[in-house]
Amino acid sequence: MPLRTEPVTVNIGPQHPSTHGVFRMRVTFDGEVVLDVEPVFGYLHRGSEKLAEERTYTQVITLTDRLDYVASMTSNQAYVLACEQLGDIQTPERGRYLRVIAAELQRVASHLMATGFLLNDLGAFATPLMYCFREREKVLDLFEMLCGARITMTYLRVGGVFQDAPEEFWPALKRFVAEMPHYIDEYEQLLSENEILLARTRGVGVLGTGEALNCSVTGPVLRSTGFAWDLRKVDPYEVYDRLEFEVPVGEHGDNYDRYKVRILEMRQSVRILEQCLAQVPSGPVRAEVPQLYRPPPGEAYGRVESPKGELGFYLVSDGGIAPYRCKVRSPSFINLTVLRDLLVGWKLADMIVTFGSIDVNMGEVDR
Amino acid sequence: MRPFLLEENALFRGLYCWLGANEGNRGFCTPEGEALARDGLLPLGWEWLAYGAAGLALVLLLVNAFLVLVMLYTYMERRVMARFQARLGPNRVGRFGLLQPVADAIKLLTKEDVAPTGADRWVFNLAPIVMFVPVLLVLAVLPFGRGSFLADLNVGVLYVVAVTTVTTLAVFMAGFASGNRYAMFGAMRAVAQLISYEIPVVLSIVGVLLLARSLSLVEIVEAQRVPFVVVQPLAFFIFLAGSSAELNRTPFDLLEAESEIVAGYHIEYSGMKFGMLFLAEFAAVLTTSGVMATLFLKGWEGPLLPSHLWFLIKVFGLAFLFIWIRATLPRLRIDQVMGFAWKFLLPLSLVNVFVTAAEALAWDWETMTPQQVWAMGGINLLVGMVGVVLFSHLVRRPAPRRAARARAAATAEEGV
Amino acid sequence: MYGLGILNGMLVTMKNLVRRPFTVRYPEERLPQHPRFRGQEFVWYVERCTGCASCAKYCPLGIIRIVTHPGGADLPEGDSYAVDVFDIDLGRCMFCGLCVEACPYDALFMGSGFEEAQYERGKLVLTVDRLKEAEKRPSTWFRPQLESRGYSPFRDPPLPWELAGREGWRYHLPQRPGSGSEAGPPDARREEAG
Ligand code: SF4
Ligand code: SF4
C-alpha cells in the first residue's frame, strides 16, 4: 500500500522567535518544503497615519519614531523633509549635516541589527548578534549624546534638528569612525567566508531585478539584485550631493547578496561619516519655525533612503496645525510583497532565513 | 571477562560486609569490613539483599556525582558561551554565579507541569525518562581512572553505541506525543538525522578498534601507546562531527532549531520534564566527551596528575571544544545535514576504515617502532585531508545558484 | 573553502573569549550616561512654574494634568496663578521631551534617572507633591544654559531653582538677589523670538 502524505498548515507567528516582531505566516508545508505562504499583517497596527491627523506637525515626529523603531532617525528625516517641502523651509547647513550624520549612524545601527538577526535566524547561537549589538551600542551612545534617547529619538525638527550636538560628540564620533572598519572586518572574518553560511544563503531566495522592480522593492533588497538604486544618489536630499560614496550592489539577488550589500553599505556609511566630520560647518542648526507650525495648504512627498528602502511621507496640509492626511510609504511593507515568490519551493529553514534577509520591521509594516 | 569493579571496590565491600557479613562470606570481606562489624546487620540467608543494597548505593553515588558534574557543566557552558559572546553570563546566584544551576533546578521544579490536551499522555511523560536513562547507562562501562570502572564489558564499545541510540527513540517519542506541529517537525528531523549520523560515528570507531583489537573500553585505553587522535585524526573529526549531530548541537541542532521550529521536540514540555530533557542533553555532552576521551585521547592516562583528574580535564576540554563550535557556527539545513552525513562523512569513514585496516595488516600496533607510529599518523592525516578536499566537492551544490541566476535573468527580461 | 572559513571564524570567537565583556553587572556597575539623557522622573520647579500649561498643551498624549487657581497670598511676586495639581502620568509618557521644549519659563526639565518601575500603574503618576519633593537632578536636554555651564546631573549636586533658568528670572529677582548673574548665557533664539 503506498503511503499517503498530506500537506500540513503551520502558523509561523505571530509569536515566533524569528518573525522579527508579530508577523504571521500561514504556511502550507509538504514535509519541509513550503507549498504556500499567506502573510497575515496587522498585529502591530496602531493607526499611526490616522493619529497623525490629530497631532500638530511637531508632535507627529514622535509617531514616526515608532514606525521603524530600529531606525527612528531616518523615519524622522523623511517626515520632516516632507514638512519642509510643505512650508518651503530652508534648513541651515549645520542642521543638514547633523541630520546626515544621524541618518548614517542609524543606517549602521539598523544594518548591524539586520545582520545580527539574520545570523540568529541562521541558527548561530546569538554570537554574531551579540557582536553586532556591541557596536550598535556605540551608535546608541552617540545618539544619547545627541538627543538624550537611544531608540525613540525625536531628534529632528521641522527646519533642522532640535539642538546642536554637544562638544563631546565630535571626538566620540571620530573614535567611532576610526574603530568601526575594524569591527566590520571582524564580522566579515567571522561570517563572510563561513562555509555553512555560504551553503545556507547562496542561491537561496533569489530575487530577479525585474521581479523586484515590478513589486516596487527598494533598499538593499533591490540593490542586491544588481540594480543600483539609491535615493541618496538618484535624488540627493540634504547634503548627499556633496558627499562621495558608492552604492554597493549585489549580483544574484540571493540571501548572501543581501547580507553582503548591508555589510558594504555599512562601510560606505562610515565613509560618509568621515567626510561629514571634515565638512560640517558652524552655524545654526534650526531654522526659525514657530512651535505651532502652520504650513500653507498643499501637499508634499518627502522621501529618504532608509536602511530598509525608500521611506516616503505624503502629507496634505489644509493650512491647519495638523496634517490633513499623512500617508507613509513604508519600505518594509512593500518589500514584503515579494515574500511569497521568494519562499515557495524552498524549505522551512530557508523560509526563515529569507524572511530575515529582507529585514522588515513590524512597526513599519503595520504602522 | 574481567570481574566487575563492584566486587573490588572497597566501599562496596565495606557496605556489603556491614550489612550482610556472616560465617559464609567472611573471606570476601576486606579487613576493614570485618573491623566494621563482625556480623552483618542482616540475618543469615539475606546476603543477596546486602549485595543489592551495597551495589545500589555505589551506583547512586556515581550517578549523583555525575549529575553534580553535569550541573557544573551547564554552568560552564553558559558562562563560557557568554564570554564567547562578549557578555558576562550568569553571575548572580552564589559566588561567580556558581549556584545558578541550583537556582534553575528550583525554578523548574516549582513550575507548573503542563501537558497539552492533544498529547499522548503516557508517551509524553515517559519521553524525558527514556531520554535520560541511556545517558546514565553509558557510565557503566566508562573507565574514569586507573582501575575505576563499574564494569569492563568485553563488548563495551558496542554497548555504548547501542545504548546511546535509544536517545533517538526518546526524541521521537517527545516530538510525536506532544501533538504539536513544530514538535512533529522536530521528531521527523530527529529520526532522519540521528539515524544517519549513527553510521559514520560507528564506522569511525572501527578504525580505533582495528588498532586496539578490542571492544573493551578499558583495553582500548591501555592499547593507546600514543593517543589515537594522532594516528586516527580523520576518525576523530568524523566522530566529533557525528556526535555533534547526535547531541544536536550547532551546526546540527535541527531537532530543536529555535529560530525555525521554536524548540522542536521539547516545545510543549514545561517544569522539570523540560528540565530533564535539557539536563539529558547536557549530560550527553559529558558522556560523549568521556567516550571521545577514552577512544581518542588515551582516557584517564596522563603524567603527574591523578588519573581521575586527567580524565576530567580531557572531558571538560572536549566539552569546551563543543561549546566553542556551538558559539561560532550557524545551522545547516536539513538536506545539507543529510548530505553531509551520507555524501561526506560516510565515504570518509569508509576510507578511514580501509586505510586503517591496511595499516593494521602491514604493521602490528603493539610492536611498532615510534617512527612507524608517527609515519602512520602522517599518512592518515594526509589521507584525511585529501579525503576532505575530495568529498567536500560532493556536498557543495553549485547548481541552484546557476539556475537561480538564469531565473533571475529571465524575469529581468520580461519584467523591465 | 574546505572548512578554512569556519576555522577563521572560530579564531574570531576565540579572540572575543579573552576580550573584556561589554555588558556590566547592572545595579552595581552602571554605564555612563550622557547629561542629555532623557530620564523618566521629571524635574519641576514650583518656584519657576507659572501654571501656563504650555507643557500640557504641547504633550502629544495629553498626559500632563494641571489645575491652577488665581492669586494666593503665599505666591512669589509676579506670579498670579498657584498650581494645585501638576500630574504627569509616566505610565503613558513616552519621554519625548516636547513638554520640556515647550515650557517658556524653564520650569520643567527631563529627569536623569530611569528606575521608576512600579508594581501598579497608579503609582506611576508623578503627583505635584512628588515633583515638589523630588531631588532636582535635571537632564541638560534642551537646556543650553546648563550644558554651557557643564552641569551634569550625575556628578553635580542637585540644582536649585535659581540656577536652572535660561536668563535672570525677572519676576523673582527682587526676592532672590544674585540668582540672575549665575544663570547661563541667554539663548539667542528665544530672545529673538520673544
Ligand atoms: S515627555 Fe512627551 S509624552 Fe511625556 S509628558 Fe512630556 S510631552 Fe508628554
Ligand atoms: S511647567 Fe512650564 S509650561 Fe508647564 S505650566 Fe509650568 S511654566 Fe507652563
Side-chain angles (χ1 to χ4, degrees):
Chain A
M1 193 187 80
L3 277 177
R4 207 168 54 84
T5 63
E6 54 183 57
V8 286
T9 306
V10 180
N11 269 310
I12 309 272
Q15 308 291 334
H16 186 280
S18 33
T19 50
H20 299 221
V22 282
F23 187 52
R24 176 174 162 211
M25 292 180 271
R26 278 170 55 84
V27 191
T28 314
F29 287 110
D30 174 17
E32 291 250 342
V33 181
V34 177
L35 290 184
D36 193 16
V37 184
E38 184 195 330
V40 186
F41 303 101
Y43 289 90
L44 204 57
H45 179 64
R46 293 148 300 174
S48 300
E49 292 178 359
K50 195 71 190 164
L51 283 174
E53 296 168 16
E54 304 277 311
R55 302 256 199 285
T56 67
Y57 281 93
T58 311
Q59 287 174 348
V60 174
I61 296 175
T62 61
L63 288 175
T64 65
D65 279 339
R66 284 151 183 81
L67 289 182
D68 184 354
Y69 42 79
V70 301
S72 316
M73 285 291 188
T74 42
S75 306
N76 286 353
Q77 199 185 13
Y79 171 73
V80 295
L81 281 178
C83 289
E84 284 162 16
Q85 277 181 33
L86 270 180
D88 211 10
I89 290 168
Q90 289 306 315
T91 313
E93 281 294 282
R94 191 177 171 82
R96 292 198 200 182
Y97 271 99
L98 275 173
R99 283 187 191 178
V100 168
I101 288 172
E104 292 307 318
L105 281 174
Q106 188 71 80
R107 193 180 317 278
V108 173
S110 174
H111 281 348
L112 279 175
M113 215 156 146
T115 310
F117 277 111
L118 173 67
L119 262 292
N120 232 26
D121 291 349
L122 273 167
F125 193 80
T127 311
L129 180 72
M130 290 309 288
Y131 295 169
C132 288
F133 265 53
R134 185 179 55 199
E135 268 59 74
R136 180 172 175 266
E137 190 70 13
K138 292 174 187 155
V139 178
L140 295 192
D141 283 344
L142 287 175
F143 284 155
E144 191 183 307
M145 285 184 196
L146 273 182
C147 62
R150 301 167 74 84
I151 304 289
T152 48
M153 291 7 150
T154 326
Y155 179 53
L156 272 55
R157 292 286 186 276
V158 180
V161 299
F162 92 92
Q163 200 177 351
D164 201 353
E167 247 138 57
E168 55 275 32
F169 175 76
W170 301 106
L173 181 63
K174 229 171 241 151
R175 204 164 345 116
F176 175 78
V177 166
E179 274 177 9
M180 194 60 202
H182 300 298
Y183 285 113
I184 300 179
D185 288 344
E186 195 179 296
Y187 304 141
E188 290 233 58
Q189 189 189 349
L190 175 63
L191 304 172
S192 290
E193 292 296 315
N194 188 316
E195 281 80 4
I196 297 178
L197 185 109
L198 294 180
R200 282 298 301 281
T201 54
R202 277 218 181 152
V204 176
V206 180
L207 182 66
T209 312
E211 211 176 334
L213 288 176
N214 276 347
C215 297
S216 5
V217 166
T218 46
V221 185
L222 174 62
R223 289 193 283 277
S224 73
T225 66
F227 193 84
W229 177 266
D230 189 323
L231 286 180
R232 293 173 294 171
K233 274 274 188 240
V234 298
D235 179 18
Y237 49 96
E238 313 277 22
V239 290
Y240 279 113
D241 44 355
R242 273 173 258 167
L243 299 167
E244 247 176 67
F245 63 98
E246 281 151 29
V247 179
V249 290
E251 202 180 329
H252 309 279
D254 54 10
N255 288 343
Y256 183 76
D257 281 353
R258 289 195 270 275
Y259 150 80
K260 191 80 188 181
V261 162
R262 290 204 178 93
I263 293 274
L264 294 176
E265 272 185 23
M266 280 196 263
R267 291 188 188 278
Q268 294 301 326
S269 289
V270 174
R271 206 173 136 198
I272 294 176
L273 286 172
E274 226 169 346
Q275 297 172 44
C276 284
L277 266 175
Q279 293 180 10
V280 63
S282 54
V285 294
R286 190 169 172 180
E288 273 308 325
V289 178
Q291 283 195 336
L292 275 187
Y293 176 53
R294 275 175 209 271
E299 49 191 74
Y301 180 65
R303 56 179 187 174
V304 298
E305 184 70 31
S306 92
K308 268 117 201 164
E310 177 184 334
L311 172 65
F313 274 83
Y314 173 66
L315 291 180
V316 181
S317 158
D318 56 358
I321 55 168
Y324 175 76
R325 173 83 174 95
C326 170
K327 164 88 181 86
V328 187
R329 185 220 186 265
S330 63
S332 296
F333 177 64
I334 290 171
N335 287 358
L336 274 185
T337 46
V338 287
L339 189 65
R340 192 177 171 282
D341 293 338
L342 287 187
L343 298 187
V344 170
W346 293 97
K347 294 209 163 52
L348 166 59
D350 296 326
M351 182 180 99
I352 301 292
V353 177
T354 308
F355 178 69
S357 77
I358 295 179
D359 182 27
V360 299
N361 182 295
M362 289 322 287
E364 205 177 49
V365 172
D366 293 337
R367 295 195 289 282
Chain B
M1 189 171 169
R2 293 193 191 189
F4 286 106
L5 164 80
L6 217 53
E7 288 170 11
E8 289 173 357
N9 188 295
L11 193 71
F12 173 78
R13 286 191 170 196
L15 255 172
Y16 174 67
C17 296
W18 181 58
L19 284 173
N22 53 39
E23 290 307 318
N25 60 13
R26 177 90 6 110
F28 172 69
C29 282
T30 52
E32 312 94 67
E34 274 180 288
L36 204 66
R38 296 215 71 80
D39 272 320
L41 296 176
L42 295 169
L44 210 63
W46 286 76
E47 299 92 356
W48 58 271
L49 186 60
Y51 194 92
L56 204 64
L58 204 64
V59 169
L60 272 180
L61 187 75
L62 183 70
V63 165
N64 282 315
F66 176 68
L67 286 183
V68 169
L69 269 186
V70 171
M71 283 181 121
L72 244 164
Y73 170 68
T74 59
Y75 168 76
M76 166 180 155
E77 163 127 12
R78 293 176 61 182
R79 204 63 209 253
V80 173
M81 194 76 173
R83 293 307 304 270
F84 270 126
Q85 301 175 345
R87 21 179 209 109
L88 283 168
N91 57 27
R92 286 284 150 190
V93 200
R95 203 164 175 73
F96 306 120
L98 266 170
L99 291 180
Q100 185 68 38
V102 181
D104 287 344
I106 292 172
K107 187 200 94 172
L108 284 173
L109 281 170
T110 50
K111 282 217 160 175
E112 191 189 348
D113 180 30
V114 186
T117 330
D120 189 335
R121 284 304 263 270
W122 270 95
V123 185
F124 184 77
N125 290 334
L126 210 57
I129 302 168
V130 179
M131 184 93 176
F132 206 87
V133 169
V135 181
L136 294 181
L137 286 180
V138 174
L139 294 180
V141 294
L142 215 54
F144 320 104
R146 193 181 310 273
S148 320
F149 44 87
L150 277 189
D152 179 18
L153 284 186
N154 53 4
V155 288
V157 174
L158 199 61
Y159 169 83
V160 170
V161 168
V163 157
T164 47
T165 319
V166 178
T167 317
T168 316
L169 186 65
V171 173
F172 184 73
M173 279 165 70
F176 189 77
S178 296
N180 180 309
R181 282 177 189 166
Y182 288 123
M184 197 64 200
F185 273 118
M188 289 310 171
R189 286 176 173 190
V191 174
Q193 178 185 324
L194 297 186
I195 291 177
S196 305
Y197 276 86
E198 203 65 50
I199 299 161
V201 165
V202 173
L203 281 178
S204 72
I205 302 178
V206 170
V208 171
L209 300 184
L210 281 172
L211 292 179
R213 292 173 189 246
S214 165
L215 281 167
S216 148
L217 286 168
V218 178
E219 278 169 27
I220 288 177
V221 172
E222 282 160 3
Q224 294 183 41
R225 298 169 54 192
V226 292
F228 275 147
V229 65
V230 176
V231 286
Q232 291 283 315
L234 189 56
F236 180 77
F237 166 70
I238 295 168
F239 195 89
L240 181 71
S243 49
S244 290
E246 285 188 23
L247 297 170
N248 59 66
R249 296 172 69 83
T250 37
F252 308 104
D253 61 340
L254 291 108
L255 283 60
E256 50 190 88
E258 186 188 298
S259 62
E260 296 159 19
I261 48 174
V262 193
Y265 62 92
H266 50 52
I267 186 170
E268 290 289 2
Y269 283 88
S270 63
M272 206 48 213
K273 277 191 286 199
F274 171 75
M276 290 264 285
L277 287 175
F278 226 73
L279 207 62
E281 272 181 30
F282 282 118
V285 175
L286 276 197
T287 48
T288 310
S289 302
V291 172
M292 253 168 107
T294 309
L295 290 180
F296 293 102
L297 295 182
K298 236 179 167 179
W300 41 264
E301 273 190 23
L304 295 177
L305 298 173
S307 60
H308 296 82
L309 201 58
W310 263 116
F311 187 71
L312 276 184
I313 290 174
K314 286 172 183 172
V315 166
F316 275 91
L318 285 169
F320 177 80
L321 186 63
F322 277 118
I323 298 174
W324 188 9
I325 294 174
R326 182 166 179 226
T328 312
L329 296 183
R331 182 187 306 125
L332 284 162
R333 200 170 54 205
I334 181 71
D335 55 329
Q336 290 161 346
V337 165
M338 302 302 282
F340 190 71
W342 291 103
K343 294 188 202 158
F344 185 71
L345 289 186
L346 183 64
L348 269 185
S349 54
L350 284 172
V351 167
N352 185 54
V353 168
F354 181 76
V355 172
T356 315
E359 282 164 348
L361 277 182
W363 294 312
D364 184 24
W365 174 250
E366 258 139 60
T367 57
M368 278 167 81
T369 59
Q371 287 85 351
Q372 281 171 325
V373 171
W374 288 108
M376 183 169 158
I379 292 174
N380 284 348
L381 190 65
L382 206 70
V383 167
M385 269 152 58
V386 171
V388 167
V389 169
L390 275 183
F391 285 104
S392 62
H393 283 280
L394 273 181
V395 257
R396 273 197 305 140
R397 294 188 315 155
R401 194 155 164 138
R402 225 180 292 134
R405 212 178 305 161
R407 181 170 161 237
T411 52
E413 269 164 33
E414 70 190 45
V416 180
Chain C
M1 243 342 91
Y2 312 124
L4 293 182
I6 289 177
L7 293 181
N8 213 346
M10 287 178 77
L11 280 184
V12 175
T13 38
M14 194 38 115
K15 199 165 76 190
N16 279 287
L17 180 74
V18 290
R19 248 189 221 159
R20 215 168 55 83
F22 77 106
T23 52
V24 295
R25 292 164 54 99
Y26 155 59
E28 292 96 16
E29 284 168 65
R30 279 151 191 275
L31 294 173
Q33 277 166 265
H34 193 265
R36 261 192 202 181
F37 179 73
R38 304 206 297 250
Q40 291 183 334
E41 83 290 3
F42 286 83
V43 172
W44 177 66
Y45 294 101
V46 64
E47 297 90 344
R48 302 189 69 94
C49 181
T50 59
C52 71
S54 301
C55 49
K57 276 183 207 134
Y58 219 56
C59 171
L61 306 176
I63 55 172
I64 304 181
R65 189 165 152 262
I66 298 177
V67 178
T68 57
H69 72 262
D74 53 340
L75 279 178
E77 191 185 323
D79 231 352
S80 50
Y81 284 92
V83 180
D84 300 328
V85 177
F86 193 97
D87 290 355
I88 304 179
D89 186 357
L90 288 190
R92 294 179 58 207
C93 180
M94 54 191 180
F95 312 104
C96 59
L98 290 183
C99 49
V100 176
E101 194 178 338
C103 177
Y105 303 103
D106 286 3
L108 189 61
F109 292 71
M110 298 304 288
S112 50
F114 53 89
E115 287 147 326
E116 285 293 305
Q118 300 285 358
Y119 282 106
E120 291 161 35
R121 282 198 84 87
K123 288 189 184 157
L124 279 171
V125 179
L126 280 181
T127 59
V128 65
D129 300 326
R130 261 173 85 186
L131 280 170
K132 268 183 196 161
E133 281 151 26
E135 214 182 36
K136 311 277 197 265
R137 289 184 180 278
S139 155
T140 64
W141 189 82
F142 208 76
R143 294 290 181 251
Q145 75 273 21
L146 297 187
E147 213 154 66
S148 59
R149 212 186 301 160
Y151 176 78
S152 159
F154 311 105
R155 194 189 52 223
D156 297 337
L159 197 70
W161 68 269
E162 301 94 329
L163 301 180
R166 207 168 284 218
E167 64 276 282
W169 186 245
R170 286 181 209 102
Y171 304 113
H172 292 81
L173 260 179
Q175 273 190 328
R176 314 262 175 179
S179 64
S181 58
E182 274 158 44
D187 175 37
R189 195 177 65 80
R190 220 165 256 276
E191 288 213 332
E192 271 165 38

